[in-house]
Amino acid sequence: MADSKSTFYLVEPDIFLFTECLHFLDRDYDDCLYSIEDDRVIKPLLIDGVQTLFKITDASDRLKIELLAGEPSKAIVEEAARYVTDWFDLERNLHPFYQLLENHDPLSYMAAKYYGLRLMRIPDLFEALCWCVVGQQINLTFAHKLKRQLVETYGTFITYESKRHYFFPEAEVLAGLAVDDLKELQFSRQKAEYIIGIAKDVADGSLKKQELVAYDETQKMLKRLKKIRGVGDWTANYVLMKSLGRTDCITHGDTGLQSAVSQILGLDRKPTRKEVETFFEPFAGWESYLNMYLWRTLS
DNA sequence: CCCCAGGGCCATA
DNA sequence: TATGGCCATGGG
């Protein structure tokens, strides 16, 4: 294959800064589904059952995506482009959000300080749901440890330069597990039951991302998601913003969010749900982005 | 030892 | 509808 076929570019939108997006991905945690070194991301993608590996770098006004492993068919390049576009939320016009941000009293500093940060998404619905269940109630360090155990035990991987790059486990695989299989990985009984249940729904086709998208309204999507055992208010909102890219979601109950809002309001306690809603009011339609920028203040 | 982490279910009233 | 116990583990 000609080398040119294995590299493609995506035009960067206005208000985009690759390093700022990478900073959010990197933070202090050890994520097992991508690796970041210097100013590049290495991301394995399973596309129609084909194992691929991409390197993403910044080329001034474009994102450069190089295929490191896997045949560069047209379909694979298209899927990879789709994935990266969603991952970095490249299709979003952030001007309206920045307008609100710049005119907001205590938060206007964010427009410059976090300039170009995008809602870093988890395009895969199953992965997003599982990540939520894993992260429920526990600290993020332990959550990443649990995720790594899950991925390295039940996921497949591609080897590149003697390093393993893992794909998130298939729903069909996790659907066949017993609760005790996950308890061995330090999952609580509830988390194990939730994840296996969600895996079964996805594996048998009763839960599809397309179904959610078709609802068109955030409230209907939330209602559908909350029917799933293990999915409450926090998870439903998290999944809608991170997987479906809804911009009007607030991760109610999120301790990180509460901590950020508490600091900004100068409270010595966690804010009530009402106080959080009031705080978000000026950002109607852009709650998810404010949510993201508030998380950013924590790291 | 305590409490709390990017929650949610379930029992109880 | 609202509240409290519970879950697994690690860090402060």
Side-chain angles (χ1 to χ4, degrees):
Chain A
M1 281 294 172
D3 188 55
S4 60
K5 275 194 141 181
S6 60
T7 295
F8 64 96
Y9 296 85
L10 294 172
V11 175
E12 294 176 359
D14 283 352
I15 314 182
F16 175 88
L17 198 57
F18 188 59
T19 51
E20 187 57 40
C21 294
L22 245 54
H23 178 273
F24 186 85
L25 288 180
D26 210 14
R27 290 186 288 171
D28 309 322
Y29 307 108
D30 174 34
D31 200 289
C32 56
L33 295 176
Y34 53 80
S35 43
I36 296 177
E37 287 173 28
D38 302 322
D39 288 333
R40 69 176 204 215
V41 198
I42 307 283
K43 175 66 180 171
L45 284 178
L46 200 56
I47 300 174
D48 297 330
V50 179
Q51 296 187 337
T52 65
L53 188 67
F54 293 89
K55 177 167 91 174
I56 307 169
T57 50
D58 185 41
S60 66
D61 58 343
R62 301 181 300 174
L63 280 183
K64 181 181 182 183
I65 297 113
E66 298 168 73
L67 183 66
L68 302 178
E71 284 298 305
S73 72
K74 185 183 176 193
I76 281 177
V77 167
E78 282 177 1
E79 275 301 302
R82 179 74 257 159
Y83 190 92
V84 175
T85 299
D86 288 344
W87 193 15
F88 289 84
D89 205 31
L90 297 180
E91 291 181 333
R92 196 82 53 198
N93 172 16
L94 287 194
H95 285 293
F97 174 60
Y98 269 62
Q99 190 85 34
L100 296 174
L101 207 50
E102 285 161 1
N103 292 324
H104 190 274
D105 182 8
L107 300 186
S108 56
Y109 78 94
M110 288 182 167
K113 188 170 183 184
Y114 306 140
Y115 181 83
L117 172 62
R118 297 250 148 192
L119 171 57
M120 297 310 298
R121 290 166 56 181
I122 304 174
D124 185 84
L125 176 66
F126 180 55
E127 178 191 328
L129 279 163
C130 290
W131 172 232
C132 282
V133 170
V134 165
Q136 286 168 3
Q137 176 57 18
I138 58 178
N139 65 68
L140 276 176
T141 304
F142 184 47
H144 280 86
K145 181 183 174 188
L146 281 182
K147 181 165 96 166
R148 181 175 287 279
Q149 305 254 55
L150 182 71
V151 168
E152 294 188 350
T153 305
Y154 295 107
T156 54
F157 60 87
I158 183 170
T159 304
Y160 179 75
E161 291 180 347
S162 72
K163 184 182 183 313
R164 290 181 176 187
H165 298 266
Y166 281 88
F167 307 99
F168 194 77
E170 297 289 305
E172 289 76 7
V173 174
L174 299 189
L177 299 183
V179 169
D180 285 343
D181 294 328
L182 291 180
K183 286 200 73 177
E184 282 182 23
L185 306 183
Q186 298 182 287
F187 281 66
S188 66
R189 175 160 294 279
Q190 294 101 313
K191 283 190 199 298
E193 288 173 357
Y194 298 163
I195 284 183
I196 292 168
I198 290 165
K200 285 179 175 169
D201 286 350
V202 172
D204 70 20
S206 56
L207 177 61
K208 290 187 177 132
K209 187 172 178 179
Q210 191 48 46
E211 175 207 342
L212 289 172
V213 173
Y215 283 124
D216 202 42
E217 293 172 25
T218 295
Q219 289 309 316
K220 291 181 182 172
M221 298 177 187
L222 290 173
K223 190 175 173 187
R224 167 67 184 94
L225 282 170
K226 287 185 190 175
K227 285 182 182 170
I228 303 166
R229 188 156 173 270
V231 177
D233 214 18
W234 178 82
T235 299
N237 277 287
Y238 187 102
V239 165
L240 284 192
M241 79 170 66
K242 297 283 272 192
S243 189
L244 277 75
R246 301 296 293 186
T247 59
D248 55 349
C249 298
I250 303 174
T251 53
H252 284 294
D254 184 295
T255 54
L257 176 65
Q258 291 170 337
S259 168
V261 172
S262 174
Q263 284 179 34
I264 290 161
L265 295 180
L267 306 176
D268 57 356
R269 52 172 174 78
K270 71 175 187 182
T272 63
R273 181 183 177 118
K274 181 68 184 167
E275 285 171 327
V276 171
E277 285 175 346
T278 302
F279 185 75
F280 272 75
E281 263 175 21
F283 293 88
W286 289 97
E287 290 90 342
S288 305
Y289 259 90
L290 180 58
N291 209 115
M292 179 83 183
Y293 275 58
L294 290 170
W295 275 330
R296 178 63 179 80
T297 67
L298 302 172
S299 55

